[in-house]
Amino acid sequence: MKKPLLTAILALCAHAAGATETLLNFDDFVGGSSFNYGGLHWESSVPLVNGYGNGGGSYDPSSPGDVEYQGAGELTLSLVGGGQFDVNSIGLLAGTFAVQPPVVTAYRDGALIYTIPEYGHGWDYTVTINKADTVKFNWDGAGLRMDDLKYSVAAVPEPETYALMLSGLALVGLRARRRNQG
């Protein structure tokens, strides 16, 4: 009886402490300069749009699926309601004629914890940022394209969850004590 009970308690604790990963593929992204999307707050120095850029500053809204801006800018991401989050991966592309590719920085409590000073052109950069409260992207006049942002937030159990778990443990302890006494 003790081993199955202990296993169940450990499984419950592990499940409560898990993180949920969210994938933003931007298929339903509307855009703008300051908005909430996918659980994140987006604050941009320039209006962002949805759709594949076909050059010359025009975009094709019939081909949605990424975030774009042609020209220089800065984007700041944070959780809606505050807190820390992990960035697991992101697809980034600097413009073909980028002089200074986008720079990615992440902060926790105002302190710099992660940076990519510059990188070449291409998609599928594996970006792993742990426990950031702010992630910033800066790019030059060649523009930015972003797709498939995967992020996760650690699940924080509510106080009621802890109260229920402790009351259950207390009942199990009382039952064991009565069994030993009687």
Side-chain angles (χ1 to χ4, degrees):
M1 171 85 177
K2 289 182 182 179
K3 285 185 180 180
L5 179 62
L6 182 61
T7 304
I9 291 171
L10 290 175
L12 177 64
C13 291
H15 177 70
T20 304
E21 184 173 82
T22 302
L23 168 64
L24 300 180
N25 60 15
F26 304 107
D27 287 343
D28 59 348
F29 179 76
V30 176
S33 295
S34 180
F35 53 92
N36 294 336
Y37 174 74
L40 296 174
H41 179 71
W42 299 66
E43 192 70 41
S44 178
S45 63
V46 294
L48 302 170
V49 298
N50 181 354
Y52 179 75
N54 58 14
S58 60
Y59 297 92
D60 180 4
S62 66
S63 177
D66 56 14
V67 174
E68 295 199 12
Y69 182 76
Q70 199 139 12
E74 177 181 281
L75 168 66
T76 302
L77 297 179
S78 58
L79 276 179
V80 172
Q84 296 178 347
F85 62 103
D86 299 336
V87 175
N88 304 325
S89 68
I90 190 168
L92 291 173
L93 179 67
T96 307
F97 305 106
V99 177
Q100 172 66 40
V103 175
V104 181
T105 53
Y107 300 86
R108 182 183 315 126
D109 300 324
L112 180 67
I113 60 169
Y114 181 87
T115 186
I116 299 177
E118 62 181 277
Y119 52 83
H121 311 291
W123 284 96
D124 300 325
Y125 287 93
T126 302
V127 177
T128 304
I129 303 171
N130 295 314
K131 296 182 177 68
D133 49 38
T134 305
V135 177
K136 292 186 178 186
F137 302 88
N138 293 287
W139 63 94
D140 71 356
L144 169 79
R145 186 186 303 166
M146 177 190 303
D147 198 7
D148 292 340
L149 169 62
K150 290 182 185 177
Y151 77 95
S152 57
V153 179
V156 178
E158 305 227 354
E160 293 85 6
T161 304
Y162 286 118
L164 184 62
M165 188 170 65
L166 288 175
S167 63
L169 287 172
L171 288 173
V172 169
L174 283 173
R175 183 170 180 195
R177 183 175 177 187
R178 285 187 182 170
R179 184 180 295 175
N180 289 338
Q181 289 177 351

